Amino acid sequence: MAARTVQKSAIPIQNPNAIKVVAPNGTNKDPDAATATSPSVKSQTASESSPTVASAVANHPSATVPPVAEGSRPSALRAPGNNWQSLDMGGVGIRNIPTTSGLFSFTFLTNLYLNHNDLTAIPPQISKLRHLELLDLSGNHLESIPPELGMLTSLKELYLFDNALRKLPHELGTLHQLQTLGVEGNPLDLSLKQMVQKDGTHALIAFLRDSCPIPASPPERQWTQFVSQPERDAMASDPNAETFSLFCYNILCERCATERLYGYTPSWALQWDYRKELIMNEILNYTGGQK
């Protein structure tokens, strides 16, 4: 791992106003390279002194691009406090991650690198790492990824380069904060690849979200009766008994059902016409169909 080479694509920015240090022999020396002993070492030292490169090396040890900048979002869960938040297990020949692996107890992780191993599957328990913002699974032998990845709603970068993926689960559509999705090098449907190339990651995520199958209806409510069965029978047989029905629902108003606040929800499910019909059907179901 220590010998892994990292290609640096950033170009160091030189300060034209920097004061040149004059060496005893009369030659000018770059202050940033004052300790260099050869041209190659000087180039490396100057590059690493650049804020751009230093940030990339410190925060992104194994990928070839620097992390995506923090974007504004309505709310975010804070990761549990810990003195380290990145774990790099890339290029070490991992073939299997057991479902009982201690890896899934590191819920404080924000960056996880599993790239360039021999993995053929990712356990669904990865959904426990809810604070992940970067996940690199590139260069493995994955033929599928678990739908549970859609629960990692804090993800901003997901790299799946050079695997054997033929399709992506619709559950990835809930990754509303995802800014970079790497899918090149997979035998995916050509239309999905073109969507990313032409319109970007957000277009593919929106497509997966809006084309997801309609989920099954929730189970029937379990009602708690405050009136005993004999009393209900007596009221039903008494023509003078007066009864009424009371409903209490927390219904999201139309102007608050926006994609910005509920980016993980399909756009058609946020439409008022769709929601209004469901609300009316719910009310009519418990009033005998009478308005």
Side-chain angles (χ1 to χ4, degrees):
M1 295 174 63
R4 185 188 307 135
T5 58
V6 179
Q7 295 181 352
K8 301 175 183 177
S9 57
I11 300 175
I13 300 175
Q14 302 294 338
N15 183 4
N17 298 320
I19 300 175
K20 298 294 183 178
V21 178
V22 180
N25 57 5
T27 60
N28 292 333
K29 297 179 67 177
D30 188 342
D32 293 334
T35 58
T37 56
S38 67
S40 60
V41 176
K42 176 180 179 180
S43 175
Q44 180 180 2
T45 306
S47 299
E48 292 179 351
S49 65
S50 167
T52 304
V53 179
S55 175
V57 174
N59 299 325
H60 208 278
S62 65
T64 57
V65 293
V68 177
E70 177 88 17
S72 60
R73 55 194 181 192
S75 61
L77 296 175
R78 289 189 176 183
N82 201 70
N83 57 0
W84 60 278
Q85 295 178 329
S86 296
L87 181 59
D88 183 0
M89 296 192 296
V92 293
I94 300 174
R95 296 186 177 182
N96 179 48
I97 300 179
T99 57
T100 57
S101 172
L103 170 65
F104 306 125
S105 65
F106 297 157
T107 56
F108 52 83
L109 288 177
T110 58
N111 301 316
L112 177 59
Y113 302 92
L114 293 169
N115 53 298
H116 297 95
N117 285 296
D118 295 318
L119 294 171
T120 57
I122 299 295
Q125 284 74 11
I126 197 170
S127 62
K128 296 180 179 180
L129 307 180
R130 296 293 182 88
H131 299 286
L132 279 183
E133 298 182 3
L134 183 152
L135 177 60
D136 193 349
L137 300 174
S138 303
N140 284 284
H141 309 292
L142 301 175
E143 296 183 359
S144 65
I145 53 177
E148 287 79 6
L149 276 182
M151 300 177 69
L152 304 179
T153 54
S154 294
L155 272 181
K156 298 186 184 70
E157 300 172 76
L158 176 58
Y159 299 109
L160 303 170
F161 296 115
D162 301 324
N163 278 286
L165 300 174
R166 296 187 176 275
K167 61 180 181 179
L168 298 174
H170 287 280
E171 287 78 3
L172 292 189
T174 60
L175 303 181
H176 59 104
Q177 298 190 66
L178 199 65
Q179 300 177 25
T180 303
L181 175 62
V183 295
E184 288 296 328
N186 288 281
L188 285 173
D189 185 276
L190 184 59
S191 61
L192 297 181
K193 290 184 177 181
Q194 291 176 342
M195 191 178 302
V196 175
Q197 294 171 353
K198 181 180 179 181
D199 300 317
T201 294
H202 292 286
L204 178 56
I205 294 300
F207 169 78
L208 293 174
R209 180 171 60 244
D210 290 344
S211 62
C212 67
I214 298 178
S217 300
E220 292 291 333
R221 288 183 173 87
Q222 299 296 322
W223 295 98
T224 300
Q225 299 291 344
F226 292 97
V227 180
S228 64
Q229 186 62 45
E231 291 176 317
R232 293 199 302 272
D233 294 339
M235 286 187 295
S237 59
D238 184 359
N240 297 320
E242 296 181 356
T243 62
F244 65 92
S245 299
L246 176 65
F247 295 88
C248 182
Y249 289 94
N250 182 9
I251 299 174
L252 186 66
C253 67
E254 180 182 2
R255 65 184 180 86
C256 291
T258 64
E259 292 187 23
R260 179 179 179 275
L261 293 176
Y262 299 93
Y264 47 83
T265 305
S267 58
W268 52 263
L270 293 174
Q271 296 298 320
W272 175 243
D273 290 339
Y274 173 80
R275 298 174 56 239
K276 178 177 64 177
E277 287 297 321
L278 294 179
I279 296 169
M280 292 301 300
N281 290 338
E282 180 76 7
I283 296 175
L284 293 176
N285 183 46
Y286 295 108
T287 58
Q290 299 179 355
K291 295 185 179 179

